Amino acid sequence: MKRAQVLPASDPESIRLAAEIIRSGGLVAFPTETVYGLGANALDPEAVAKIFEAKQRPSFDPLIVHIATRAALDLLVQKTGTVDRRLMDAFWPGPLTIVLPKRDNVPDIVTAGLSTVAIRMPAHPVAQALIVKAGVPIAAPSANPFGYVSPTCAQHVLDGLGDRVDLILDGGSCPIGVESTIVSVSESSLELLRPGSVTLAELRDIMGTSVRAAAGTTIIAPGQLPRHYATKTPVTILRAPGARPAIQARERAGLLAMSAPGQEYEMFCAIEVLSSSGDLREIARNVFAALRRLDALGLNRLYAEPCDEQGLGLAIMDRLRRCAVSTQ
Ligand code: AMP
Ligand code: MG
């Protein structure tokens, strides 16, 4: 079985090699500011098919296409509206994905047959350099087996897909740690398809009040499956931070704590504190890696404290809920 090469992203030679692999139809995992992506040439249906195969991702779940310049939009989308452009001015490059009407150049496999394509311009210098050097837009979902926790460092990619990707560019840990916000614009209103690191408040600042999103409800979009981000260990979300779960005798439990616990917890075999001060940015940055560490301990159950569903907290709780639903 082949084993992926892991190369330092800081070496221009690694970027050159990665770009060559993308251009010749291979798969490269690369860091973005959100999570690591599993990239292929978005204009090559056979290369994109390898992403679905490697991840075991169902073909009805569309991919996000990553670009480095606005000029690349001409190749991919029929048109952009004034609201779309206002969002791009405000948030690109950055963790906002915008759904736009696609052109015929975009293969159906990328969009799961939809007439729209999801586009993002990542801000991470390695992602930017790779897209520029490859000279093609890069389709990339998170670089993990379908349904599992997203990867936020090169080792996570190696653990999950090490035998299914040609090259992993190691650019250290992802600075944000949760996926991009996905929106679609219709008429002049904005619909939130997935909460992410661009917050509702930030979108409202740009848009006025016309952002449609019911906090905490399941967002219906193709591929936005409720079962996702699943650990092997079942996860239960606690009623409130600091709540003490009724743990069965002999149950070996772990705790995912949002901030430093204010009490002694003798009932947990392991505790991961996401941020000693409860800072949402730090929590977002750490949540997937902490879930993976707890999941590796072979415990019977993980208990996760909830955080306030404001700002980044909406995206964090969205991921934790999907994890909990998927593991019951
Ligand atoms: P990820 O697996 O994190 O890259 O997420 C990709 C997600 O983007 C999919 O699961 C969809 O929910 C969403 N998406 C991609 N393309 C579209 C589209 N054309 N319309 C609506 N949502 C989309
Ligand atoms: Mg994913």
Side-chain angles (χ1 to χ4, degrees):
M1 214 181 274
K2 81 175 173 192
R3 189 87 178 140
Q5 272 196 85
V6 183
L7 295 177
S10 53
D11 181 353
E13 183 55 26
S14 315
I15 304 289
R16 197 196 57 73
L17 184 61
E20 204 176 287
I21 291 171
I22 293 283
R23 273 198 307 275
S24 58
L27 296 184
V28 173
F30 62 99
T32 78
E33 67 274 32
T34 58
V35 301
Y36 271 69
L38 179 63
N41 177 356
L43 303 177
D44 176 348
E46 280 173 36
V48 174
K50 292 181 190 165
I51 295 179
F52 285 89
E53 226 173 281
K55 282 191 61 128
Q56 296 283 298
R57 181 175 171 113
S59 58
F60 58 77
D61 195 359
L63 304 178
I64 294 172
V65 176
H66 295 71
I67 59 175
T69 63
R70 289 248 205 135
L73 281 173
D74 296 342
L75 188 70
L76 303 169
V77 309
Q78 289 175 19
K79 60 177 176 13
T80 56
T82 46
V83 176
D84 297 316
R85 290 193 294 274
R86 218 188 310 157
L87 292 170
M88 292 171 195
D89 290 343
F91 299 109
W92 279 10
L96 182 74
T97 298
I98 307 177
V99 173
L100 295 159
K102 88 173 185 84
R103 289 184 72 140
D104 289 343
N105 307 352
V106 181
D108 282 341
I109 187 169
V110 172
T111 63
L114 295 171
S115 60
T116 52
V117 59
I119 313 257
R120 172 161 119 75
M121 187 190 288
H124 197 291
V126 174
Q128 290 249 347
L130 176 63
I131 301 165
V132 169
K133 196 82 187 163
V136 290
I138 296 185
S142 52
N144 53 279
F146 180 72
Y148 193 62
V149 180
S150 300
T152 54
C153 66
Q155 185 63 47
H156 294 166
V157 182
L158 200 59
D159 292 345
L161 298 175
D163 56 352
R164 296 171 191 196
V165 350
D166 299 302
L167 172 63
I168 301 172
L169 285 174
D170 185 351
S173 290
C174 299
I176 293 177
V178 292
E179 294 82 352
S180 63
T181 303
I182 307 180
V183 295
S184 96
V185 179
S186 54
E187 316 274 294
S188 60
S189 81
L190 192 75
E191 193 167 6
L192 184 73
L193 300 178
R194 174 173 76 185
S197 44
V198 169
T199 64
L200 274 177
E202 288 170 319
L203 289 169
R204 285 195 181 113
D205 270 354
I206 301 298
M207 295 293 304
T209 52
S210 49
V211 180
R212 272 185 286 143
T217 60
T218 306
I219 286 126
I220 307 298
Q224 278 303 90
L225 308 169
R227 304 180 74 79
H228 218 118
Y229 308 104
T231 43
K232 294 189 288 290
T233 320
V235 169
T236 299
I237 297 176
L238 292 169
R239 233 178 336 98
R244 288 178 164 250
I247 296 178
Q248 317 273 315
R250 290 200 305 276
E251 186 177 83
R252 299 178 64 241
L255 176 70
L256 191 69
M258 292 289 158
S259 56
Q263 55 185 318
E264 286 290 310
Y265 275 126
E266 65 296 331
M267 72 266 258
F268 295 112
C269 303
I271 299 179
E272 284 279 350
V273 178
L274 296 179
S275 163
S276 54
S277 62
D279 174 63
L280 287 173
R281 283 175 194 274
E282 198 178 355
I283 291 170
R285 198 157 54 234
N286 291 329
V287 65
F288 287 141
L291 269 175
R292 282 169 177 265
R293 281 193 296 271
L294 286 172
D295 200 24
L297 300 177
L299 303 176
N300 302 109
R301 185 166 290 273
L302 307 178
Y303 292 91
E305 289 186 344
C307 66
D308 202 8
E309 270 177 280
Q310 295 298 316
L312 254 184
L314 189 64
I316 295 163
M317 287 310 296
D318 170 75
R319 307 307 188 266
L320 286 180
R321 282 216 181 81
R322 286 177 206 275
C323 178
V325 166
S326 311
T327 56
Q328 294 315 301

